[in-house]
């Protein structure tokens, strides 16, 4: 093997960190007191994190800090002071989701490696290349990718790839789930997921009738835990550089036990003894005993999806007493895992005592007190060996210790202990100095970043809409965009005079029809004086990318005015295809929570974005909306999943349609299965509707507003336009309004 595979383990606490390092991890990932995607884990204080960084470095290992949540504007202002001490201590990398964090770290800590989190939903070579060119040093792939897709990313980009190999699987693509956020206000994008996917649900058909009598108390959104120990050769050969074990919320016993088994088999494979690779059944059983959900799955590496990956009967994480007992004494062997050093102790009468230490080629020499002539009992070699071996809580122990001394030499025991301590401290300092960094040159400038407010809104952000005089409230919103996902909706919308831009969802036609009929639909929109954009798929994986590459000329020849992009892949693809930046509209999936994020996206040539659906009105006002489009109506997608409820419960028939997921309170979530790209969209139970908040929406000055249609028929489309016109005219009658709707996060926001 020319490049050793890294085994990366979770550390939710310092005790877990020590345990997984002792178990064989090459690196750990951990969160500090802010901005980590596991807000409810113990996590590390600043002092603990600094100690942890030094600890892993003395062990020859690495530590990556998770800063993998979406940061609001005021939090960006806290980021410099938060990262600085870790940066100076030699932090090995940060793991990020937020484009604002990525832009900030690149600007202020230019030599700090950045790993693109799985929550950035990188599903192909286009997205990977975009992030590599922007400055990321590692790509953490989406968990849904196959071995072939990972191999394609590596072949096309040469990226350092990190992929999950063991632990919990989310039902939704990471970074694309708003279910916990929308129904409970606890955002997964902010590290506070309440795991509603682990609750029971029932699938109903398009008529809202139960599709099966065997569905009582099943958990169709709960996936089994991932286990790939039997696939290690295939994973390595696909181009994966780092094996990531999930589990920062798990106990040290679990994390260390899993790490130890993967260490064993990764080493066996990389030693390449010529023997066939095989995992012993007792080791697989140990992994099961440590914990699983209804057994294991090997995930998406060899399949698109399937019912075999779903727990169905129980979502709980189960472990056996034997598994806990197997690893309960994981810290008892800490002495065996100390770093081995060599030493020479020299004691010559009337000269200073000298201790020379060596660790992996690093050498130090320390002087002690003057060696005396023994008046009574001289020091014995046995006594010196005994005292020098007492390295205590340091990470070192002597592998070899030579003692050179004159007969009749004497030195007080306290002086010997002090010499040993001074020597180890000096060696420690010399080792850690290799990792230390000096503060960035722009320290003062970065310290001044206490606010993150759009320049146009520094006055308006603190002003209530009712106090805004004249022009703000009286200005009607001239630009209206409308998303249509069915032909019935499209045909209704082109007749609405207020609609200026229509987003024609790519799923509105089957692929074989898209190229032949798109020109016709665009011409219908143009004939009505409307711009027509193609809304690209929510997920853009290798097979989808290949199809669009081979058919792009036909699609572009349809005279579409632009595209609505939902992910990094599509942004990179369109740039590669030569689409003008003026024709690229970012959807809300490309999160813009701060001005720093906006700057980051603009660096990537994305100048039109959609305002975040998780920020409240006050936060949106601080952000500013001059280039932002605001969704004021629509059933919000709350999950994008590679799984298919229709297939897993009924069976795959290749037919697209809408079904419903009923929760334990009887609420119905619409579900659309997209067969061409093979993913499901789960929508919220009620549509967001902000027509009754229209004056406050106007005060935010968005560049445009959007009506998003998904499951509505033509009658419902017409009714929504009626409410829009009434809101514009200030004649909305709240007594004759939608029977069921939500404000989304417009009032409450998320923590």
């Amino acid at each position: 093997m020319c490049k050793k595979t890294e085994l990366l383990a979770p550390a939710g606490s310092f005790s877990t960190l020590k345990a997984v390092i002792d178990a064989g991890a090459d690196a750990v990932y951990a969160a500090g007191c802010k901005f980590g995607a596991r807000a409810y884990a113990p996590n590390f204080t600043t002092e603990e994190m600094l100690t942890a960084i030094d600890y892993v470095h003395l062990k020859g290992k690495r530590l990556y800090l998770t800063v993998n949540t979406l940061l609001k504007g005021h939090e960006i202002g806290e980021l410099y002071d938060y990262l600085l001490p870790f940066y100076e201590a030699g932090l090995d990398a940060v793991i990020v989701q937020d484009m604002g964090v990525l832009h900030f770290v690149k600007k202020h800590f230019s030599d700090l490696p950045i790993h693109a989190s799985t929550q950035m939903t990188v599903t192909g070579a286009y997205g990977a290349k975009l992030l590599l060119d922007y400055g990321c040093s590692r790509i953490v792939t989406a968990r849904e990718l196959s071995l072939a897709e990972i191999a394609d990313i590596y072949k096309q980009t040469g990226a350092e790839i990190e992929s999950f190999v063991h632990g919990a699987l989310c039902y939704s693509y990471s970074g694309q789930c708003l279910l916990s956020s929308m129904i409970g206000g606890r955002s997964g994008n902010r590290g506070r997921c309440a795991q509603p996917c682990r609750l029971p649900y029932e699938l109903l058909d398009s008529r809202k009738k139960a599709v099966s009598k065997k569905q009582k108390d099943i958990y169709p959104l709960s996936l089994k835990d991932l286990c790939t120990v039997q696939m290690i050769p295939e994973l390595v050969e696909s181009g994966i550089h780092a094996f990531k074990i999930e589990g920062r919320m798990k106990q040290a016993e679990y994390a260390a036990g899993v790490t130890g088994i993967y260490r064993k088999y990764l080493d066996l494979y990389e030693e390449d003894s010529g023997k066939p690779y095989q995992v012993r059944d007792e080791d697989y059983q140990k992994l099961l005993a440590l914990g699983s959900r209804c057994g294991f799955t090997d995930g998406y590496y060899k399949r698109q999806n399937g019912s075999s990956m779903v727990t169905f009967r129980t979502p709980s994480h189960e472990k056996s007493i034997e598994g806990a007992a197997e690893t309960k004494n994981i810290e008892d062997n800490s002495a065996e895992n100390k770093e081995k050093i060599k030493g020479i102790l020299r004691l010559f009468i009337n000269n200073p005592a000298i201790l020379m230490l060596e660790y992996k080629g690093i050498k130090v020499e320390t002087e002690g007190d003057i060696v005396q002539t023994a008046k009574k009992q001289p020091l014995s070699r046995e006594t010196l060996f005994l005292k020098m071996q007492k390295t205590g809580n340091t990470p070192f122990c002597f592998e070899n210790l030579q003692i050179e001394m004159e007969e009749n030499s004497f030195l007080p025991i306290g002086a010997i202990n002090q010499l040993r301590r001074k020597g180890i401290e000096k060696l420690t300092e010399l080792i850690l100095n290799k990792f230390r960094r000096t503060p960035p040159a722009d320290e003062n400038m970065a310290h001044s970043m206490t606010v993150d407010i759009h320049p146009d809104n520094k006055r308006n952000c603190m002003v209530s809409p009712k106090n805004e005089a004249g022009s703000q409230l009286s200005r009607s919103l001239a630009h209206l965009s409308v998303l249509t996902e069915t032909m019935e909706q499209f045909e209704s919308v082109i007749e609405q005079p207020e609609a200026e831009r229509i987003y024609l969802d790519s799923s509105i036609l089957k692929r074989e029809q898209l190229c032949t009929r798109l020109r016709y639909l665009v011409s219908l929109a143009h004939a009505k004086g409307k711009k027509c954009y193609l809304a690209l798929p929510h997920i853009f994986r290798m097979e989808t990318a290949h199809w669009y590459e081979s058919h792009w000329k036909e699609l572009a020849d349809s005279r579409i005015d632009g595209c609505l992009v939902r992910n990094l892949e599509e942004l990179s693809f369109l740039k590669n295809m030569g689409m003008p930046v003026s024709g690229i509209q970012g959807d809300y999936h490309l999160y813009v929570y701060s001005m720093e994020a906006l700057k980051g996206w603009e660096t990537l040539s994305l100048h039109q974005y959609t305002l975040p659906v998780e920020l409240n009105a006050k936060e949106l006002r601080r952000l500013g909306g001059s280039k932002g489009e605001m969704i004021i109506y629509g059933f919000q997608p709350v999950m994008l999943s590679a799984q298919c409820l229709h297939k897993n419960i009924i069976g795959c028939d290749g037919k697209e349609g809408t079904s419903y997921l009923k929760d334990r309170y009887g609420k119905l979530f619409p579900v659309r299965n997209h067969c061409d790209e093979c993913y499901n969209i789960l929508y919220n139970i009620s549509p967001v509707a902000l027509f009754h908040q229209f004056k406050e929406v106007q005060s935010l000055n968005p560049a445009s507003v959007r009506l998003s249609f998904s499951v509505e028929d033509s009658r419902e489309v017409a009714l929504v336009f009626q409410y829009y016109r009434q809101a514009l005219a200030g004649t909305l009658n709240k007594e004759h309004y939608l029977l069921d709707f939500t404000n989304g996060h417009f009032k409450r926001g998320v923590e």
Side-chain angles (χ1 to χ4, degrees):
M1 292 286 159
C2 60
K3 192 173 185 180
K4 184 175 171 60
T5 304
E6 176 185 274
L7 183 59
L8 176 60
S13 65
F14 194 81
S15 61
T16 304
L17 179 144
K18 293 175 69 175
V20 296
I21 290 293
D22 287 348
D26 298 304
V28 297
Y29 62 102
C33 56
K34 298 179 179 180
F35 314 137
R38 294 292 181 270
Y40 301 117
N43 295 322
F44 289 70
T45 65
T46 297
E47 293 72 23
E48 286 174 331
M49 183 62 70
L50 293 172
T51 301
I53 292 170
D54 286 349
Y55 180 85
V56 299
H57 286 163
L58 290 171
K59 290 281 192 176
K61 313 294 185 179
R62 296 172 291 280
L63 188 148
Y64 309 139
L65 178 69
T66 60
V67 191
N68 55 341
T69 57
L70 300 179
L71 271 62
K72 299 177 184 180
H74 70 279
E75 292 168 327
I76 291 287
E78 302 170 12
L79 193 54
Y80 185 89
D81 286 340
Y82 175 67
L83 290 178
L84 182 61
F86 308 142
Y87 171 83
E88 292 178 314
L91 178 67
D92 295 286
V94 288
I95 305 171
V96 308
Q97 173 191 12
D98 190 341
M99 188 57 68
V101 176
L102 173 53
H103 183 73
F104 184 94
V105 172
K106 182 183 175 187
K107 180 169 60 176
H108 295 292
F109 301 96
S110 58
D111 58 339
L112 179 59
I114 302 171
H115 296 177
S117 169
T118 188
Q119 289 168 275
M120 294 192 92
T121 325
V122 175
T123 59
Y126 280 111
K129 187 175 188 307
L130 192 75
L131 291 173
L132 291 170
D133 289 346
Y134 194 57
C136 290
S137 59
R138 177 180 292 187
I139 304 298
V140 186
T141 57
R143 290 177 176 91
E144 290 77 7
L145 298 194
S146 67
L147 291 171
E149 288 172 310
I150 291 172
D152 184 67
I153 293 173
Y154 182 70
K155 179 181 178 181
Q156 292 200 46
T157 68
E160 185 174 284
I161 293 173
E162 175 182 307
S163 298
F164 284 86
V165 297
H166 196 95
L169 287 172
C170 292
Y171 190 83
S172 175
Y173 282 91
S174 291
Q176 302 298 319
C177 182
L178 296 172
L179 182 58
S180 175
S181 172
M182 288 297 172
I183 66 176
R186 288 173 53 178
S187 172
N189 283 321
R190 303 273 294 163
R192 293 170 171 83
C193 180
Q195 295 193 314
C197 52
R198 304 295 182 186
L199 296 174
Y201 298 91
E202 180 182 9
L203 186 66
L204 311 181
D205 62 21
S206 59
R207 298 168 300 169
K208 302 180 182 177
K209 302 293 184 182
V211 299
S212 170
K213 294 180 180 180
K214 300 179 180 180
Q215 284 196 77
K216 188 175 181 180
D217 297 326
I218 67 168
Y219 299 84
L221 304 184
S222 177
L223 297 185
K224 296 178 181 179
D225 279 6
L226 176 67
C227 178
T228 64
V229 69
Q230 295 169 322
M231 296 173 58
I232 284 177
E234 296 165 278
L235 295 169
V236 174
E237 289 160 19
S238 71
I240 298 173
H241 166 70
F243 281 15
K244 188 169 196 168
I245 297 168
E246 183 275 337
R248 279 195 292 127
M249 298 288 283
K250 302 284 193 349
Q251 294 178 332
E253 294 86 3
Y254 170 90
V258 172
T259 299
I261 292 173
Y262 275 83
R263 176 78 279 157
K264 172 183 176 179
Y265 285 99
L266 191 54
D267 288 348
L268 282 173
Y269 169 67
E270 292 190 330
E271 286 168 5
D272 197 15
S273 61
K275 297 179 181 178
Y277 179 84
Q278 186 173 5
V279 176
R280 295 169 66 92
D281 184 64
E282 53 262 44
D283 287 326
Y284 189 80
Q285 293 303 318
K286 284 180 183 178
L287 288 172
L288 282 169
L290 285 164
S292 72
R293 286 186 172 88
C294 301
F296 288 133
T297 173
D298 57 9
Y300 295 95
Y301 288 115
K302 294 183 177 181
R303 62 180 59 81
Q304 174 70 23
N305 50 41
S307 59
S308 64
M309 298 178 65
V310 185
T311 65
F312 283 117
R313 67 177 176 85
T314 175
S316 59
H317 193 265
E318 302 166 342
K319 63 180 179 180
S320 70
I321 296 174
E322 293 78 10
E326 189 81 36
T327 54
K328 68 179 181 179
N329 296 318
I330 54 174
E331 294 186 23
D332 291 350
N333 65 345
S334 57
E336 299 175 14
N337 291 300
K338 286 196 170 192
E339 298 303 299
K340 308 299 189 290
I341 57 175
K342 297 176 181 178
I344 300 175
L345 176 63
R346 290 177 175 162
L347 301 180
F348 292 95
I349 297 171
N350 296 326
N351 287 287
I354 300 294
L355 177 62
M356 294 184 289
L357 299 175
E358 180 179 353
Y359 172 73
K360 295 183 178 179
I362 299 172
K363 300 177 180 180
V364 297
E365 182 175 311
T366 306
E367 284 191 4
D369 290 353
I370 300 296
V371 180
Q372 304 166 25
T373 302
K375 294 181 179 179
K376 294 183 179 179
Q377 186 174 357
L379 282 171
S380 68
R381 290 179 180 271
E382 292 75 15
T383 299
L384 286 170
F385 268 112
L386 181 64
K387 298 302 178 183
M388 292 299 293
Q389 295 288 353
K390 292 185 176 180
T391 55
N393 293 325
T394 73
F396 303 109
C397 65
F398 281 99
E399 177 185 38
N400 179 276
L401 177 62
Q402 299 177 34
I403 297 179
E404 302 172 2
M405 61 184 296
E406 282 186 282
E407 297 297 326
N408 214 31
S409 296
F410 177 77
L411 204 62
I413 297 300
I416 295 171
N417 291 338
Q418 184 181 21
L419 178 62
R420 184 195 66 238
R421 285 193 295 267
K422 284 176 61 179
I424 290 179
E425 287 172 2
K426 191 172 182 179
L427 178 63
T428 299
E429 183 179 359
L430 195 59
I431 294 170
L432 294 179
N433 279 343
K434 297 190 305 178
F435 300 96
R436 301 289 191 236
R437 301 185 184 97
T438 56
D442 61 350
E443 180 180 5
N444 292 331
M445 180 183 73
H447 271 294
S448 68
M449 292 186 57
T450 57
V451 293
D452 184 69
I453 304 173
H454 192 283
D456 296 340
N457 285 271
K458 286 188 177 180
R459 179 178 65 87
N460 293 341
C461 69
M462 304 307 294
V463 180
S464 171
K466 64 183 180 182
N467 292 329
E468 282 290 301
S471 61
Q472 289 287 338
L473 294 184
S474 63
R475 180 176 78 83
S476 64
L477 293 170
H479 303 292
L480 176 66
S481 300
V482 185
L483 174 66
T484 60
E485 295 189 12
T486 68
M487 193 61 67
E488 182 181 359
Q489 293 163 3
F490 175 76
E491 291 170 348
S492 178
V493 169
I494 61 172
E495 300 300 330
Q496 307 297 332
E498 294 84 4
E500 291 189 35
R501 179 190 289 182
I502 298 177
Y503 298 124
L504 189 68
D505 197 276
S506 57
S507 66
I508 208 166
L509 296 167
K510 297 294 288 182
R511 275 188 187 169
E512 58 268 22
Q513 298 174 309
L514 190 58
C515 290
T516 56
R517 294 204 63 200
L518 183 60
R519 177 187 285 271
Y520 171 69
L521 297 180
V522 172
S523 68
L524 290 180
H526 286 173
K528 297 290 185 177
K530 306 178 189 308
K531 292 185 176 180
C532 191
Y533 278 49
L534 179 64
L536 295 175
H538 287 266
I539 299 297
F540 202 76
R541 289 170 60 173
M542 181 178 72
E543 192 273 334
T544 300
H546 288 168
W547 187 89
Y548 275 87
E549 286 169 352
S550 61
H551 293 84
W552 183 248
K553 186 177 185 306
E554 298 166 80
L555 295 174
D557 286 347
S558 68
R559 297 177 60 208
I560 54 172
D561 297 291
C563 286
L564 179 69
V565 300
R566 271 77 177 258
N567 48 64
L568 287 161
E569 313 298 327
E570 292 165 355
L571 176 59
S572 181
F573 169 78
L574 291 178
K575 290 173 64 177
N576 199 54
M577 293 295 116
M579 173 163 278
V581 295
S582 60
I584 301 175
Q585 169 72 50
D587 207 351
Y588 70 91
H589 310 73
L590 303 179
Y591 299 112
V592 183
Y593 272 48
S594 65
M595 277 301 299
E596 200 72 20
L598 179 56
K599 293 173 187 174
W601 287 116
E602 287 178 342
T603 303
L604 293 174
S605 302
L606 182 69
H607 297 280
Q608 300 176 79
Y609 63 97
T610 300
L611 292 170
V613 297
E614 288 190 300
L615 297 188
N616 61 31
K618 182 178 179 181
E619 292 163 339
L620 290 171
R621 186 166 292 110
R622 291 173 63 93
L623 177 64
S626 61
K627 297 179 183 176
E629 184 163 281
M630 184 171 180
I631 300 171
I632 61 170
Y633 172 82
F635 283 89
Q636 177 64 48
V638 291
M639 269 194 178
L640 302 178
S641 179
Q643 291 293 328
C644 180
L645 286 162
H646 187 92
K647 173 184 177 181
N648 289 348
I649 295 176
I650 305 171
C652 180
D653 56 14
K655 295 180 180 179
E656 295 190 0
T658 301
S659 51
Y660 295 87
L661 202 62
K662 185 169 78 171
D663 71 6
R664 53 193 172 150
Y665 303 112
K667 301 290 187 180
L668 302 183
F669 295 86
V671 185
R672 291 281 298 276
N673 56 307
H674 292 257
C675 295
D676 279 340
E677 271 67 49
C678 198
Y679 61 78
N680 274 194
I681 300 179
L682 181 70
Y683 296 92
N684 200 9
I685 54 178
S686 306
V688 169
L690 299 178
F691 304 117
H692 59 297
Q693 307 283 354
F694 211 62
K695 286 187 177 181
E696 193 164 4
V697 170
Q698 286 177 300
S699 75
L700 298 175
N701 287 318
S704 56
V705 294
R706 185 194 307 174
L707 308 177
S708 290
F709 296 114
S710 52
V711 298
E712 294 86 351
D713 58 26
S714 58
R715 182 191 63 82
E716 291 166 322
V717 168
L719 191 60
V720 168
F721 269 93
Q722 178 183 320
Y723 295 140
Y724 175 74
R725 294 186 192 102
Q726 291 173 355
L728 270 177
T731 61
L732 186 69
N733 187 339
K734 295 183 181 179
E735 294 182 3
H736 298 86
Y737 194 37
L738 291 165
L739 296 177
D740 180 34
F741 69 93
T742 174
N743 290 315
H745 285 297
F746 192 68
K747 289 297 183 183
R748 66 178 181 179
V750 293
E751 290 183 34

